[in-house]
Each structure stands twice: as C-alpha cells, then as structure tokens.
Amino acid sequence: MTAADATADPILSRLSDALGRLEPRGLPPVESWKPPYCGEIDMRIAADGTWFHNGSPIRRPALVKLFASILRKEPDGRIVLVTPVESVGIAVDDAPFLAVEMAVEGTGEARRLAFRTNVDDLVPLDTEHALRFEQDREGGLRPYIHVRRGLWALMTRALTYDLVEMGEEREIDGTRWFGLAAGGAFHRIAPAEAA
C-alpha cells in the first residue's frame, strides 16, 4: 500500500502522520511485464533488511526503495528485480522486507493493526495482508506480514514482543491455541502447550 492509499484508512493515515507524512509513490505494474530472465546478479537482501550490491551495503535509501518497488516473486519461488526489458535474480536471506513499526487501534477481533516496512510501505493487517508465524532453528518465533506480490516482511524483534504481548489462548477445533485477535480474525501463533 502506498502512502497515497493511507488517507483512505484511518489507522494507516495516523501511522503515516506519525512518520511525517510519507511521500506518495505508485508501484510499477511488474505483474504485467514479461521480460526475459537474464540470470543472477550480485545483489542480496540480508535478514536485517540491509541491501548489498557486490558485497557492499547500498547506503542510498531512495535507491533501495526504487529496487524494492520492482521486486517480484516468480512462480518457482525466485525473487527477481524486473523491468519491462529484463528480469534478474537476487539473493534474499529471509524476507525481502522488514516490518519496523506498528500502529494498534482497538481490542480483540476488532483490533486493527498496521505496519510500516523498512522501505516505507504501509501495510494493514487484513485479508490481503495476512500474518504468518514460523519457528526458527532455535525454536524462536518469527512473524511475517504479507506486503504484496507474494513478498513478505519479517517483524523486528521488538514488534514480535509487542505481538506476543497482545496474544491470548483460544480453543479451536478441540485444540488450545495461543494467538492474536485482530483484523476480524484470530491468528494462530502456536499450540498453547508449545507457546
């Protein structure tokens, strides 16, 4: 969701206001582009959201935002940068985006959540932007929110703690679950005995 779309959603509008009114930007129609695949380039998005090119961090935020706007996930799972004339593969350590800030309004299933990514996308928790939870190798919790085009944002550790703090237990189909009520739904995190 662009900042221009935020004015239609009160919680996103407040998040945008708190961030100093983000500049509106439209996203290119990468889904309609069918360029040839030209192989991999030496570009990587680290797990902490840092973009690298030829092993060096990209230090210009505007350039990172430009690249982020032309990301696409291919049917085979590859993440590519795509233009009307070429498509190139890049490495992504975890998720291509990082959710770095959250706005909360209300309680229970009526609770509304919105997130800002490290590239200033504003993402509401809704049917198009689902939450998913995974466990890492050490058994820790890794929450993600769908941003766009099959691309996800990993939550920062601080946001993870905030989400867990809002959690509660519910019985669903005979199983006790620890989860989060928001956006008109209960988002399962883990079976209650494992939480």
Side-chain angles (χ1 to χ4, degrees):
M1 174 173 283
T2 66
D5 298 327
T7 58
D9 187 320
I11 193 169
L12 293 182
S13 181
R14 282 193 298 284
L15 180 59
S16 181
D17 287 342
L19 299 171
R21 186 54 65 184
L22 299 174
E23 288 297 315
R25 64 182 167 100
L27 293 171
V30 299
E31 297 86 5
S32 64
W33 296 342
K34 308 290 184 227
Y37 180 68
C38 299
E40 299 278 321
I41 62 170
D42 188 3
M43 187 172 283
R44 177 176 71 91
I45 304 172
D48 69 358
T50 303
W51 285 63
F52 291 86
H53 182 255
N54 291 332
S56 297
I58 299 173
R59 302 213 183 272
R60 292 180 50 206
L63 189 56
V64 169
K65 289 177 187 179
L66 172 66
F67 288 142
S69 74
I70 58 170
L71 280 177
R72 182 170 77 189
K73 185 172 183 178
E74 299 291 56
D76 64 6
R78 282 179 298 152
I79 305 292
V80 298
L81 294 173
V82 63
T83 71
V85 296
E86 70 178 342
S87 167
V88 293
I90 66 169
V92 179
D93 290 356
D94 190 335
F97 305 115
L98 192 65
V100 296
E101 195 166 8
M102 176 175 63
V104 181
E105 179 179 273
T107 59
E109 287 189 20
R111 178 185 294 131
R112 299 186 62 212
L113 303 178
F115 300 89
R116 181 179 65 86
T117 71
N118 59 320
V119 292
D120 290 336
D121 284 303
L122 298 177
V123 185
L125 174 60
D126 59 21
T127 55
E128 284 185 49
H129 306 95
L131 279 178
R132 84 171 200 257
F133 298 88
E134 295 181 5
Q135 281 195 333
D136 61 23
R137 283 173 263 156
E138 292 81 34
L141 181 66
R142 297 182 67 81
Y144 299 82
I145 187 160
H146 181 250
V147 177
R148 64 175 176 271
R149 308 174 184 143
L151 302 172
W152 294 77
L154 172 66
M155 306 281 174
T156 62
R157 185 178 305 271
L159 290 185
T160 300
Y161 291 144
D162 291 343
L163 288 175
V164 169
E165 193 171 300
M166 288 185 273
E168 62 185 81
E169 286 188 23
R170 288 192 184 178
E171 186 168 326
I172 301 172
D173 298 327
T175 302
R176 297 275 318 154
W177 284 90
F178 180 75
L180 171 68
F186 184 73
H187 306 273
R188 299 176 199 188
I189 297 174
E193 56 274 1

